[in-house]
Amino acid sequence: MIERVENEKGLERFDLKFAAYFPTGYEVKNITVRHGDTRWPTIRYEFTGEVSGRVKEFFMDWFYYGFPKNLMSSIVDSYSTVDAFRGISMIYLGKDYKGMDAATASIYGTHVEVEFDYGSMRERIDFMNSMKTSDYQLKRVSHLRYHERGFHTLGNPGDWFEDLRIARLSWRSLDDRLDAGRQIYNGSSEGILESAGMVQQVYMVYEQNGFEKAVSIDAWRRDVSVEHVKYRLRKGGNFFTSQIETPSLALFKSEYGPAFFAFGLDNIEGIIALSGGFDSAEAELVHQACLHKIDGGLGL
């Protein structure tokens, strides 16, 4: 169901699992909410001012948290060159799947996608940095775990294999933590796939400061017998700016991520995914903390 609301206040009657963000200094109109639908809850609106365009906001659970999926044509490719900037959060600018000039940011759990009708790169960055929400909005969702915020994590099916691999996992709260140097990442949620009498996949999500940053550990059996579980990282593609084999593959987008680390250990393999916001030194500390966690056993 899609409903129109007059203003930001009108959103309060909807039980959305993410905070709503609006730009300051721009005119906003045609605000709609999709809820109680066969697709994930979404806020959309149009804006005009120094730049104009359309905004879409939601919680993205079908891909690793913090990645600009609408700008990516595969796990390592993008539809155009993607530029990364540090601002209200990590901001990514490039062409989206429609060929539009677009920007993407993940802000404390809210995935913000913007299509621009016109405007320079600086004007588009300024627009993204103008995004604001209220303390009420953030407090409303601050207690929610990853799987409680999501759509497919609640078992709702989708149209793509990415939706399927999340929806078929059995999700639960993850009461654990990831210690990486002086930084601590709190366990949020864990998804488990069982088949043929054994665990085939484990997907763990850790976060810091209400999803300011997030870490995902996605592990599966090397001999997994279920379709669409494995992602294959590879060198090449035009999204990541740094691609290192040491000997496992590490992929970085810009100085502050996001980043992928491939791993393999005995009978398991998988991906460690870091959202934007980690510099290279932080990323390596988190990488090592994740490997220690994996080495301790994931039940696979």
Side-chain angles (χ1 to χ4, degrees), residues 34-35 44 51 61-62 77 96 140 182 223 249 270 273 276 294 298:
R34 182 173 70 197
H35 67 102
R44 297 174 186 258
V51 290
D61 64 358
W62 61 90
D77 295 290
D96 67 8
R140 183 177 58 81
R182 296 182 179 179
D223 59 353
L249 187 59
I294 293 162
L298 299 177

Side-chain angles (χ1 to χ4, degrees), residues 139-151:
K139 185 176 181 180
R140 183 177 58 81
V141 298
S142 63
H143 66 287
L144 296 175
R145 305 269 185 152
Y146 182 85
H147 68 286
E148 295 169 331
R149 294 170 181 252
F151 179 74

Side-chain angles (χ1 to χ4, degrees), residues 75-102:
I75 198 167
V76 297
D77 295 290
S78 50
Y79 296 103
S80 69
T81 299
V82 174
D83 296 300
F85 301 89
R86 198 167 194 181
I88 187 173
S89 69
M90 286 302 299
I91 300 168
Y92 304 97
L93 278 74
K95 298 286 188 182
D96 67 8
Y97 58 95
K98 298 179 184 177
M100 298 287 294
D101 287 330

Side-chain angles (χ1 to χ4, degrees), residues 36-56:
D37 202 274
T38 56
R39 295 171 73 81
W40 54 94
T42 307
I43 296 171
R44 297 174 186 258
Y45 57 83
E46 300 171 3
F47 64 91
T48 55
E50 187 177 46
V51 290
S52 72
R54 292 153 299 284
V55 173
K56 180 167 61 173

Side-chain angles (χ1 to χ4, degrees), residues 2 51 58 63 94 96 136 158 187 201 257-258:
I2 297 176
V51 290
F58 51 93
F63 198 66
D96 67 8
Y136 161 79
Q201 180 188 8

Side-chain angles (χ1 to χ4, degrees), residues 120-168:
S120 68
M121 181 174 289
R122 173 46 54 190
E123 289 169 336
R124 284 178 274 159
I125 293 171
D126 288 345
F127 174 84
M128 298 299 289
N129 281 326
S130 79
M131 286 288 185
K132 297 289 187 297
T133 192
S134 65
D135 290 340
Y136 161 79
Q137 285 280 336
L138 285 176
K139 185 176 181 180
R140 183 177 58 81
V141 298
S142 63
H143 66 287
L144 296 175
R145 305 269 185 152
Y146 182 85
H147 68 286
E148 295 169 331
R149 294 170 181 252
F151 179 74
H152 301 298
T153 53
L154 297 178
N156 293 296
D159 301 323
W160 304 96
F161 78 89
E162 292 169 320
D163 309 337
L164 170 65
R165 75 190 300 274
I166 299 302
R168 68 188 174 192

Side-chain angles (χ1 to χ4, degrees), residues 9-300:
K9 187 74 174 175
L11 296 172
E12 293 182 5
R13 63 188 176 90
F14 299 97
D15 185 26
L16 300 173
K17 309 303 183 183
F18 57 93
Y21 282 81
F22 288 91
T24 55
Y26 300 81
E27 180 184 354
V28 171
K29 61 181 180 180
N30 296 331
I31 306 171
T32 61
V33 180
R34 182 173 70 197
H35 67 102
D37 202 274
T38 56
R39 295 171 73 81
W40 54 94
T42 307
I43 296 171
R44 297 174 186 258
Y45 57 83
E46 300 171 3
F47 64 91
T48 55
E50 187 177 46
V51 290
S52 72
R54 292 153 299 284
V55 173
K56 180 167 61 173
E57 299 179 356
F58 51 93
F59 184 82
M60 185 178 71
D61 64 358
W62 61 90
F63 198 66
Y64 302 114
Y65 181 87
F67 281 71
K69 190 64 173 66
N70 60 314
L71 308 180
M72 299 173 66
S73 56
S74 77
I75 198 167
V76 297
D77 295 290
S78 50
Y79 296 103
S80 69
T81 299
V82 174
D83 296 300
F85 301 89
R86 198 167 194 181
I88 187 173
S89 69
M90 286 302 299
I91 300 168
Y92 304 97
L93 278 74
K95 298 286 188 182
D96 67 8
Y97 58 95
K98 298 179 184 177
M100 298 287 294
D101 287 330
T104 306
S106 296
I107 314 172
Y108 293 104
T110 302
H111 190 78
V112 180
E113 296 180 354
V114 184
E115 288 183 344
F116 294 96
D117 294 324
Y118 58 83
S120 68
M121 181 174 289
R122 173 46 54 190
E123 289 169 336
R124 284 178 274 159
I125 293 171
D126 288 345
F127 174 84
M128 298 299 289
N129 281 326
S130 79
M131 286 288 185
K132 297 289 187 297
T133 192
S134 65
D135 290 340
Y136 161 79
Q137 285 280 336
L138 285 176
K139 185 176 181 180
R140 183 177 58 81
V141 298
S142 63
H143 66 287
L144 296 175
R145 305 269 185 152
Y146 182 85
H147 68 286
E148 295 169 331
R149 294 170 181 252
F151 179 74
H152 301 298
T153 53
L154 297 178
N156 293 296
D159 301 323
W160 304 96
F161 78 89
E162 292 169 320
D163 309 337
L164 170 65
R165 75 190 300 274
I166 299 302
R168 68 188 174 192
L169 295 170
S170 296
W171 287 90
R172 63 191 183 190
S173 296
L174 177 60
D175 295 318
D176 188 16
R177 72 182 203 175
L178 193 66
D179 295 315
R182 296 182 179 179
Q183 298 295 317
I184 294 174
Y185 301 88
N186 296 313
S188 185
S189 299
E190 178 180 45
I192 296 174
L193 173 65
E194 293 190 47
S195 179
M198 64 181 67
V199 175
Q200 302 280 350
Q201 180 188 8
V202 176
Y203 192 129
M204 307 165 74
V205 180
Y206 297 85
E207 60 87 16
Q208 187 180 71
N209 194 25
F211 285 91
E212 182 178 15
K213 298 178 184 177
V215 180
S216 303
I217 300 175
D218 189 5
W220 52 81
R221 295 179 61 87
R222 290 185 187 272
D223 59 353
V224 61
S225 59
V226 183
E227 282 190 319
H228 306 312
V229 170
K230 296 183 178 184
Y231 274 127
R232 187 177 67 86
L233 292 186
R234 57 178 172 83
K235 294 183 73 173
N238 63 338
F239 179 72
F240 292 100
T241 51
S242 176
Q243 306 179 35
I244 307 166
E245 288 187 272
T246 61
S248 297
L249 187 59
L251 304 174
F252 289 84
K253 176 63 181 176
S254 83
E255 181 183 357
Y256 294 104
F260 281 141
F261 296 91
F263 68 85
L265 179 68
D266 298 330
N267 67 320
I268 67 171
E269 60 185 7
I271 290 172
I272 298 165
L274 277 59
S275 68
F278 293 87
D279 64 30
S280 57
E282 291 174 308
E284 184 54 32
L285 286 172
V286 172
H287 177 212
Q288 293 303 318
C290 289
L291 291 178
H292 180 72
K293 184 79 65 178
I294 293 162
D295 191 44
L298 299 177
L300 285 163

